[in-house]
Amino acid sequence: MNPQSLAVQRTFLTLLFCNTLAASLIWGVNTLFLLDAGLSNFEAFAANAFFTVGMVLFEVPTGVIADLKGRRLSFLLGSATLVVSTLLYVWLWQIAAPFWAWAAVSVFLGLGFTFFSGAVEAWLVDALNATDFRGKVDTIFAKGQIVTGIAMLLGSFGGGLIAQLSNLGVPYVLRALILAVTFVLALMLMRDLGFKPVKSERPLKEVKRILNDSIKYGIKVPQVRWVMLTAPFVMGVSIYGFYALQPYLLELWGDQEAYAIAGLAAAILAGAQIAGGLLATQLWRFFSRRTTILVTGITLSAVVLVLIGLITNFWAAIGLVVLWGLAFASTIPARQAYINGLIPSKQRATVLSFDSLLGSGGGVVAQPLLGKAADIWSYSTSYILAGGIIALAVPFAILARKSAKKGEAKIADQISRGEDPAKAQ
């Protein structure tokens, strides 16, 4: 790898680590934090739903900003927005604010995250192309999975420990500080290589043009469309699967106050994220096509979630959680590399943001439905239903594989070739 491409990779991994570390600091205590602020259980989970609604509302508009004015600007806006919204969360906690205030700030928090989705991947691929990167982009996405897992492990454990030693507000303050540091690092290290911001006296016309082009190069392209349509089922269910693990494992353990077991769920998935990133690079020996990895990973995830619901032994469930994490984490790099290889640079951030929107939209629907199933029947039943919902994504993955047999899609789908799949444009 040449020095310029290496610098791009280091910047990407550094910013990814900082972002994930900041985000995961509150994962183990967020519900406790909301309850401690005076919200009921219903209000606490409703606040989380408003966060997801914010992501759905702003995914495409922020992607358009990234495609018009630059991926670097989008990242900086995201960091600044999250610093402010996180500190607002602390303030609401201190004054025991009413629910409507939590709902409003949660939407604002969702806005902050949408500035990152799509823009970061688009920045990486464009910058690698501009620096004449000759390797496989899968390797960098796989390293990203490893870095994300390490940050998740440190953040989820560290946030819980810090809250125990101090109070529930301190992890949020630290999160804001880390995001502020991330803002400075991005300001110093990021450059929009391979991308030129659009200069236009008619910005609304440019926004309309980008949105139309994004539909043209996204949903209207079968090879991209089928992959994107897996997102509502896979990503939507995965959000529920992660957060429901904590009470479900406590239930299987037989002690509702064994909070260390709840923290174990995040640690297990973080470890699986690391191992999955390492495993992804080895999959090339067994698969020649990225869409085959996608079909296999989604199918395995569906089967494993059903088994988690059927098997009531704690240690067996732990083993299945590890397998689920491995399947999920090792599939992501192949999916990212394939879809990036089919999207033109000018529309990349917006199309990727729309892909994230579909995943978030699935979460808006799946979380309350599966949560209600857990209330009416049980967590085990909700996991069986979750596996069934993910299975609905398998036909779309198969269609993606069938459609990737010629032209640019065939090039982007092949693993064995030497050049960067993201250059298949």
Side-chain angles (χ1 to χ4, degrees), residues 38-235:
L39 299 183
S40 67
N41 279 305
F42 172 78
E43 290 172 330
F45 286 106
N48 288 336
F50 273 100
F51 163 76
T52 310
V53 168
M55 295 189 70
V56 172
L57 290 175
F58 297 112
E59 278 288 3
V60 171
T62 54
V64 171
I65 290 173
D67 278 334
L68 277 177
K69 300 302 180 183
R71 291 76 155 101
R72 177 175 180 263
L73 175 62
S74 184
F75 189 94
L76 293 173
L77 288 172
S79 298
T81 303
L82 287 178
V83 169
V84 174
S85 55
T86 299
L87 292 177
L88 282 175
Y89 248 43
V90 177
W91 179 63
L92 295 180
W93 171 68
Q94 289 180 326
I95 65 172
F99 171 74
W100 67 264
W102 289 99
V105 175
S106 293
V107 172
F108 188 41
L109 198 66
L111 166 64
F113 277 99
T114 60
F115 278 112
F116 295 136
S117 60
V120 181
E121 282 184 33
W123 174 83
L124 172 68
V125 176
D126 286 344
L128 289 176
N129 288 341
T131 55
D132 198 28
F133 177 65
R134 298 293 184 180
K136 294 184 175 69
V137 75
D138 310 54
T139 59
I140 300 178
F141 284 134
K143 289 177 182 177
Q145 292 293 310
I146 297 170
V147 167
T148 299
I150 294 172
M152 284 174 58
L153 187 61
L154 293 174
S156 56
F157 267 124
L161 181 61
I162 290 168
Q164 184 174 338
L165 295 176
S166 53
N167 61 61
L168 288 166
V170 174
Y172 288 80
V173 175
L174 290 177
R175 180 192 195 185
L177 290 174
I178 294 174
L179 287 168
V181 171
T182 305
F183 179 93
V184 174
L185 288 174
L187 196 63
M188 295 170 56
L189 301 176
M190 286 187 82
R191 295 292 181 271
D192 278 325
L193 302 175
F195 170 84
K196 292 183 179 180
V198 175
K199 296 181 179 180
S200 174
E201 296 180 357
R202 303 178 65 183
L204 292 179
K205 182 179 179 180
E206 290 295 336
V207 168
K208 183 179 179 180
R209 179 187 63 81
I210 287 181
L211 284 173
N212 290 336
D213 286 349
S214 297
I215 293 173
K216 176 181 177 181
Y217 294 106
I219 291 296
K220 288 188 176 181
V221 179
Q223 296 87 346
V224 178
R225 176 174 67 241
W226 300 132
V227 175
M228 292 173 68
L229 288 177
T230 65
F233 306 101
V234 177
M235 300 307 298

Side-chain angles (χ1 to χ4, degrees), residues 227-412:
V227 175
M228 292 173 68
L229 288 177
T230 65
F233 306 101
V234 177
M235 300 307 298
V237 168
S238 296
I239 296 170
Y240 172 81
F242 174 78
Y243 285 107
L245 271 179
Q246 298 170 18
Y248 185 45
L249 289 179
L250 287 179
E251 180 181 294
L252 294 181
W253 183 254
D255 183 357
Q256 295 298 323
E257 296 184 359
Y259 299 121
I261 299 298
L264 182 64
I268 289 170
L269 288 175
Q273 186 95 341
I274 298 169
L278 293 169
L279 179 64
T281 59
Q282 302 302 316
L283 286 176
W284 301 334
R285 301 179 181 180
F286 305 99
F287 295 91
S288 61
R289 300 177 62 182
R290 293 185 174 90
T291 52
T292 304
I293 295 176
L294 184 65
V295 173
T296 305
I298 293 174
T299 303
L300 182 59
S301 294
V303 172
V304 169
L305 285 176
V306 171
L307 290 176
I308 289 176
L310 292 174
I311 296 174
T312 57
N313 178 272
F314 173 80
W315 294 109
I318 290 292
L320 290 169
V321 169
V322 172
L323 184 58
W324 178 48
L326 287 172
F328 183 82
S330 58
T331 303
I332 293 300
R335 185 185 191 277
Q336 290 173 311
Y338 175 70
I339 198 170
N340 272 282
L342 296 175
I343 305 171
S345 173
K346 290 183 178 180
Q347 291 80 31
R348 182 169 286 129
T350 305
V351 175
L352 293 177
S353 289
F354 186 73
D355 184 43
S356 296
L357 181 151
L358 291 175
S360 298
V364 171
V365 176
Q367 287 188 88
L369 285 178
L370 293 173
K372 190 65 175 179
D375 284 337
I376 296 174
W377 297 298
S378 64
Y379 282 113
S380 59
T381 302
S382 71
Y383 272 96
I384 294 172
L385 293 174
I389 294 174
I390 283 189
L392 296 176
V394 174
F396 295 113
I398 293 174
L399 287 171
R401 187 177 186 278
K402 289 182 177 180
S403 64
K405 291 184 176 180
K406 60 182 179 179
E408 295 179 348
K410 182 177 180 180
I411 295 172

